[in-house]
Amino acid sequence: MSGSIRKLLAGALATGWMAAALPVFAQTSLLNVSYDVARDFYRDYNPLFQKYWKEKTGAPIEIKQSHAGSSKQVRAVADGLEADVVTMNQASDVDFLADKGLVARDYATKFPDNASPYTSTMVFIVRKGNPKGLRDWPDLVEPGVQVILPHPKNTGNGRYSYLAAWGYALRQPGGNDGTALEFVGKLLKNAPLFASGGRDATTTFMQRKIGDVLVSFESEAELIAREFGKGEFDVIYPSLSILAEFPVAIVEKVVNKKGTRKEAQAYLEHLWSKDGQENAAQNYLRPRDAGVREKYAAQFPPIRTFSVDEVFGGWSRAFPAHFKDGGSFDQIYQSK
Amino acid sequence: MKRVLPGFGLSLGFTLVYLSLLVLLPLSGLVFKSSALSLGQFWDIATGERALASYRVSFGASLLAALINAFFGLIVAWVLVRYSFPGKRFVDSLVDLPFALPTAVAGITLATLYADTGWIGRHLDPLGLKVAFTPLGIVVALTFIGLPFVVRTLQPVIEDIEPEVEEAAATLGATRWQTFRRVLLPGILPALLTGFTLAFSRAIGEYGSVIFIAGNMPLISEITPLLIISKLEQYDVIGATALACVMLAISFLLLLAVNGLQWWAANRHRGKEGALS
Amino acid sequence: MSHVVARRANTEPRWLRLTLTAVGLGFLFLFLAVPLVAVLFQGFAKGWRAYLDGLAHPDALHAIGLTMFIAAVALPFNIAFGVAASWAVSKFDFRGKSLLITLIDLPFAISPVVAGLIFLLIFGAQGLFGPWLAEHDVKIVFALPGMIIVTLFVTFPFVARELIPLMQAQGKDEEEAAVSLGASGWQMFFRVTLPNIRWGLLYGVILANARAMGEFGAVSVVSGHIRGETNTLPLHVEIVYNEYNVVGAFAAASVLALLALVTLALKTLVEWKMRQEIREQRAELPPERTE
């Protein structure tokens, strides 16, 4: 026991000193700056790409990962974090980098599928057996139903949840911005709290047993099952939900400076390869490739979705309309 | 008056240079950035309904937490210095825990403990007391993160009290309470105030632990640092710096008032002593 | 007789002692012990092996090393500052003293996120010196220097604020006596001042150290979160937690908690050494007389 602790300490000290003292090796390396729950995906993807790259060019390549909240990450890139590529969970974050001139304005057309190699959607996670019989969005605004979701204004998946409910209300007969505002207002009234992030929302729902339904990414359900057990909850697919896209882009300024354009391009392109798409499916993210989608069909029940572009005219409009100061979220919380 | 002790120029010079480089220059950068706003814009951001509500929450909860810490911290410090009991050293070393524990871990842990289903929350729930995800939860988190300040500032001062002083007071017929109030308290009051100030100021800025337990409901349990983050999430760095400047100004004035009060109290105390001798 | 008086004078009646102890310990139990147990409970939820596995991960090891390194670099600066500032403030009278103390306090009141932000405004690519730094290929933010600077900022007041009230309470008689007996400035400092303030200094260092190691918010802003490179232990905890690896996260957190218990070791060591010194001095007394 004491031996292993000593080893641990020695290792910790040694690595710390090395980090401080040694310059980075001359080997080509890419820095992928990403959002926080993409860790598992890229942990599996990076070795796939490294193998592919080695076979293709004979040269080894190092991939470094950085994960944190999505908009915090792009702000860091704008402030000088030298990312070769960014892989984000909503377009507004990459748009911000385009505004700053770090990413090509037309980044969405540089890769197929809106530059989003996989998608996901918002689903309901309810208590085992669905005791409150929650089936669709209108059930969530009923009095006495407690809804758990991350902060709609400050977090990526909170925003997707918010827009999903808004889009649903808009698509109902007679739906307009007024009815949508009312619908979402009622939904938020049923939220006893706003979690600080997706992970915190899950802890609140699963471990602290607060609330009747958790609105979350479909892919998150698998992670929840891994931590808390499959038998602890049910996943409910509403009749209509939002298509969450995860855009990727090359940071032009950095690859030009570092001379890594070729590698960065290949790294992102490979996301659309069979391997890359299978990896997405294995991480419960909906692949774009039809063949792979077929293979994993059992994992992804059909669900009607709308994209942010279709309903809101893109993130560049949705964001100011709903999440900036004075947007629809703030209107809901104005005291009369 | 000629200064007897050496090192005034050196120590004050070093202090000022270091303070300027590390604190004053960066802070003036903050103020400079926010000056990109017109006065009207600044005022709108600073006095928005949500902003005003958040000041109340942030400063109110911080004050309450600092008062709790001052009261219990005094008792804890006294007990740790003066009394002996089994496991005292272990308890003593526990006091620093809130600093070492990352604030997020503290927040997550406290939220779980104080939720209706948690170890502590389940005993409070029948009493109708909701702590997690209410403003009360904010007070709990802030009490936790500020706890070491009062205890650790008081301990060395209490350790330093000469036993002769108390003995003399007792010999002169003072009761224990009189001795404490008249002799001991004036000596430790500056340290107590310092501890209180530090706990209070640390609580004002705290973000990491609070957001997990606050519930973050607009107008009810939103702290000002959360609004700053919210601005940053909108890529509104200047708006964020404006709110940060407001917090900075309020904190600065409050701290200045407390420190002035302390200086005044110390002088008065010294004046009395001077008059006696 | 005088012995009885002295005892009564220096302590409270038994019932009050017990009550105070109970209240103090109860408070600590509720606010410190229970959360600590909860952290350990989660860390060990899947047994010893999982706990150690969580720590033995290369990323965790690197984070532990980096955290200790940053604290070790940052502390000496703030110790030097703290001693200098408290010397100036507590031994001399000058105008604007309250203002100076308030400015020293200020970093505490600044939200860690803002603390990170202000250094981005200065050293970031869009910041004041950003373009110049980029031109000369000097990396400050999203690299080690930035993380150290931010740590210096958040732990800035500790040592000074610990020492000021203590040194004020002690006054300056002893130092003045030393100087009038012909001691040089440094002699006076090392022989008189330092021994007098050692407990306060120790507490200040311990607090600053704990905070330096545990700081998340400010460091998070300037670290860049690069795995195995700029991730400190608190940042590592957050990432691992977000990955649904609760055991790994709380195991890492418990390491930080245990680092706080270093107080125990340090304080015991210092006490032991002091007792040793006193004993040696006593042993040396007779020869001293013959001098």
Side-chain angles (χ1 to χ4, degrees):
Chain A
M1 182 58 57
S2 77
S4 68
I5 288 172
R6 203 175 309 142
K7 234 185 276 169
L8 223 132
L9 273 176
L13 274 175
T15 44
W17 276 104
M18 261 155 47
L22 282 183
V24 187
F25 287 104
Q27 181 192 33
T28 312
S29 88
L30 293 179
L31 174 59
N32 175 6
V33 171
S34 191
Y35 60 99
D36 40 15
V37 276
R39 221 285 293 194
D40 281 349
F41 177 87
Y42 285 103
R43 187 197 53 206
D44 299 342
Y45 174 74
N46 289 344
L48 292 175
F49 174 73
Q50 282 167 317
K51 192 162 152 271
Y52 158 82
W53 189 251
K54 178 99 199 204
E55 275 164 14
K56 194 181 157 206
T57 67
I61 186 162
E62 186 193 15
I63 313 284
K64 288 190 255 176
Q65 285 294 138
S66 164
H67 294 280
S70 189
S71 32
K72 182 171 173 184
Q73 290 290 70
V74 289
R75 266 184 283 126
V77 172
D79 278 321
L81 180 59
E82 293 199 322
D84 299 88
V85 296
V86 288
T87 52
M88 290 297 149
N89 70 0
Q90 63 189 41
S92 53
D93 293 322
V94 188
D95 291 343
F96 170 73
L97 289 179
D99 291 343
K100 296 272 168 195
L102 288 157
V103 161
R105 185 44 60 215
D106 56 347
Y107 72 88
T109 60
K110 300 244 166 180
F111 295 95
D113 305 313
N114 230 354
S116 167
Y118 49 81
T119 66
S120 189
T121 188
M122 304 312 288
V123 299
F124 304 161
I125 289 162
V126 297
R127 307 258 170 238
K128 185 77 204 155
N130 197 2
K132 294 230 168 167
L134 307 170
R135 294 271 154 232
D136 205 353
W137 291 103
D139 300 328
L140 268 53
V141 304
E142 291 297 320
V145 174
Q146 282 199 325
V147 183
I148 303 297
L149 72 170
H151 202 294
K153 193 169 161 169
N154 299 346
T155 66
N157 40 4
R159 282 177 213 135
Y160 270 121
S161 306
Y162 186 96
L163 293 183
W166 190 283
Y168 172 86
L170 215 53
R171 288 269 174 112
Q172 297 316 298
N176 57 39
D177 278 346
T179 60
L181 182 70
E182 197 194 328
F183 184 82
V184 174
K186 273 197 215 158
L187 181 82
L188 295 187
K189 277 232 167 59
N190 278 349
L193 61 108
F194 291 137
S196 68
R199 181 66 181 85
D200 183 38
T202 304
T203 307
T204 301
F205 184 76
M206 296 301 297
Q207 193 185 356
R208 297 174 195 141
K209 312 258 180 248
I210 294 175
D212 303 305
V213 53
L214 168 70
V215 184
S216 185
F217 281 122
E218 180 186 35
S219 52
E220 197 94 348
E222 174 55 24
L223 294 171
I224 298 173
R226 218 179 289 165
E227 179 65 30
F228 295 95
K230 265 213 154 61
E232 291 291 311
F233 62 92
D234 288 339
V235 181
I236 304 289
Y237 285 79
S239 66
L240 180 67
S241 192
I242 197 164
L243 182 76
E245 293 185 300
F246 300 81
V248 300
I250 292 177
V251 184
E252 305 285 336
K253 212 171 157 183
V254 175
V255 295
N256 286 345
K257 185 183 160 199
K258 283 173 64 182
T260 47
R261 174 176 299 278
K262 199 175 56 177
E263 289 84 356
Q265 178 78 24
Y267 179 76
L268 293 184
E269 260 168 20
H270 198 64
L271 288 167
W272 276 268
S273 70
K274 265 268 173 316
D275 277 356
Q277 292 288 300
E278 290 240 359
N279 181 49
Q282 282 156 11
N283 280 287
Y284 289 78
L285 295 158
R286 295 186 173 224
R288 296 287 198 175
D289 182 276
V292 178
R293 209 158 52 213
E294 198 121 314
K295 187 175 164 193
Y296 288 88
Q299 219 173 279
F300 302 111
I303 177 170
R304 262 191 333 129
T305 58
F306 54 84
S307 73
V308 177
D309 290 351
E310 283 160 33
V311 171
F312 300 95
W315 273 103
S316 56
R317 294 215 186 148
F319 200 91
H322 299 287
F323 307 119
K324 284 222 162 156
D325 286 350
S328 69
F329 177 83
D330 282 357
Q331 285 163 29
I332 291 170
Y333 283 96
Q334 239 150 32
S335 60
K336 304 282 142 40
Chain B
M1 191 184 83
K2 193 182 154 304
R3 287 192 174 107
V4 184
L5 293 179
F8 177 65
L10 178 69
S11 61
L12 189 66
F14 178 63
T15 301
L16 290 179
V17 169
Y18 193 77
L19 180 77
S20 308
L21 279 180
L22 202 59
V23 179
L24 297 184
L25 280 179
L27 288 183
S28 52
L30 184 76
V31 177
F32 177 74
K33 185 87 183 175
S34 74
S35 68
L37 293 166
S38 75
L39 219 57
Q41 287 170 315
F42 187 93
W43 185 253
D44 285 347
I45 293 172
T47 61
E49 188 186 17
R50 295 262 288 283
L52 290 179
S54 80
Y55 304 147
R56 271 196 295 278
V57 174
S58 270
F59 286 94
S62 301
L63 182 68
L64 209 56
L67 285 174
I68 294 173
N69 272 329
F71 179 74
F72 287 101
L74 176 59
I75 296 177
V76 168
W78 187 263
V79 168
L80 284 178
V81 174
R82 287 299 178 98
Y83 306 156
S84 58
F85 52 89
K88 179 168 136 173
R89 292 201 168 179
F90 176 73
V91 173
D92 191 12
S93 63
L94 262 187
V95 170
D96 304 314
L97 180 74
F99 284 163
L101 213 54
T103 48
V105 174
I108 292 164
T109 307
L110 289 173
T112 301
L113 285 174
Y114 283 89
D116 297 351
T117 47
W119 291 351
I120 298 176
R122 88 168 65 121
H123 301 293
L124 299 176
D125 195 43
L127 307 172
L129 210 57
K130 297 250 182 231
V131 176
F133 315 118
T134 69
L136 215 52
I138 303 178
V139 177
V140 167
L142 295 181
T143 307
F144 178 81
I145 58 128
L147 192 147
F149 283 115
V150 178
V151 180
R152 289 300 191 227
T153 337
L154 278 175
Q155 262 176 316
V157 176
I158 297 178
E159 266 158 18
D160 241 34
I161 297 173
E162 308 272 343
E164 289 84 357
V165 184
E166 289 162 78
E167 278 162 27
T171 340
L172 293 172
T175 66
R176 186 64 189 151
W177 173 243
Q178 283 170 328
T179 312
F180 178 76
R181 230 186 64 81
R182 299 270 177 78
V183 181
L184 298 177
L185 196 59
I188 58 176
L189 197 61
L192 184 63
L193 258 173
T194 303
F196 168 83
T197 317
L198 297 183
F200 178 62
S201 48
R202 168 96 166 87
I204 292 170
E206 176 59 10
Y207 170 76
S209 61
V210 175
I211 46 159
F212 287 98
I213 196 171
N216 308 317
M217 293 315 260
L219 301 173
I220 300 169
S221 50
E222 252 180 354
I223 54 169
T224 314
L226 181 71
L227 286 188
I228 295 179
I229 292 285
S230 178
K231 295 264 184 219
L232 289 176
E233 285 284 323
Q234 305 163 38
Y235 308 113
D236 180 7
V237 176
I238 296 175
T241 58
L243 278 181
C245 282
V246 174
M247 282 191 84
L248 185 67
I250 303 179
S251 311
F252 176 76
L253 290 177
L254 283 173
L255 290 175
L256 193 63
V258 177
N259 284 328
L261 184 78
Q262 195 178 322
W263 179 83
W264 176 80
N267 262 22
R268 207 179 60 131
H269 180 54
R270 211 178 302 151
K272 264 192 193 163
E273 260 178 12
L276 274 176
S277 62
Chain C
M1 182 62 202
S2 72
H3 178 67
V4 177
V5 171
R7 270 195 63 173
R8 200 177 58 211
N10 282 331
T11 193
E12 290 74 35
R14 192 181 153 78
W15 65 266
L16 187 57
R17 260 185 358 235
L18 288 179
T19 316
L20 287 178
T21 311
V23 170
L25 291 186
F27 178 72
L28 290 184
F29 177 78
L30 201 62
F31 274 90
L32 289 182
V34 175
L36 178 64
V37 169
V39 169
L40 291 174
F41 187 78
Q42 299 239 43
F44 286 106
K46 290 181 181 160
W48 260 105
R49 191 144 283 283
Y51 179 87
L52 284 181
D53 282 351
L55 292 181
H57 191 280
D59 285 349
L61 287 182
H62 180 271
I64 294 174
L66 182 64
T67 301
M68 286 161 66
F69 179 77
I70 290 177
V73 174
L75 276 179
F77 288 98
N78 281 342
I79 292 173
F81 163 75
V83 173
S86 51
W87 179 257
V89 165
S90 60
K91 306 289 181 188
F92 302 99
D93 283 320
F94 54 92
R95 279 161 155 268
K97 198 188 266 188
S98 292
L99 181 70
L100 179 64
I101 297 179
T102 305
L103 290 176
I104 293 175
D105 284 342
L106 215 48
F108 277 148
I110 288 166
S111 196
V113 185
V114 176
L117 181 70
I118 56 179
F119 289 101
L120 279 187
L121 292 177
I122 296 174
F123 298 117
Q126 314 171 63
L128 218 52
F129 301 131
W132 188 87
L133 290 170
E135 221 169 87
H136 294 76
D137 218 18
V138 181
K139 277 195 188 172
I140 293 193
V141 286
F142 311 118
L144 205 55
M147 299 167 79
I148 293 173
I149 293 175
V150 164
T151 306
L152 279 177
F153 182 86
V154 293
T155 58
F156 177 82
F158 278 101
V159 177
R161 283 316 249 133
E162 233 2 85
L163 288 181
I164 288 171
L166 179 67
M167 283 166 79
Q168 271 173 340
Q170 285 172 345
K172 46 192 171 186
D173 301 349
E174 289 188 41
E175 277 93 356
E176 280 172 352
V179 171
S180 63
L181 288 175
S184 77
W186 291 114
Q187 274 173 336
M188 168 215 66
F189 178 74
F190 283 109
R191 300 267 176 84
V192 181
T193 311
L194 204 55
N196 275 342
I197 61 169
R198 64 177 169 251
W199 290 126
L201 188 61
L202 185 69
Y203 284 133
V205 170
I206 287 164
L207 285 183
N209 183 50
R211 182 99 164 84
M213 290 191 173
E215 175 55 19
F216 171 80
V219 173
S220 157
V221 176
V222 297
S223 103
H225 294 264
I226 305 169
R227 278 197 161 228
E229 216 174 287
T230 58
N231 254 354
T232 61
L233 202 47
L235 304 186
H236 177 76
V237 170
E238 196 216 15
I239 289 185
V240 173
Y241 182 75
N242 280 335
E243 282 161 15
Y244 287 86
N245 179 357
V246 176
V247 167
F250 280 81
S254 72
V255 169
L256 284 162
L258 292 178
L259 288 176
L261 296 185
V262 166
T263 324
L264 186 73
L266 269 180
K267 221 184 145 184
T268 314
L269 190 76
V270 175
E271 271 174 347
W272 178 79
K273 276 203 90 168
M274 268 175 46
R275 227 171 288 142
Q276 197 89 338
E277 260 169 40
I278 292 170
R279 210 171 300 146
E280 275 165 20
Q281 274 173 1
R282 285 211 184 117
E284 280 168 12
L285 264 181
E288 206 174 319
R289 264 186 211 155
T290 60
E291 266 178 18

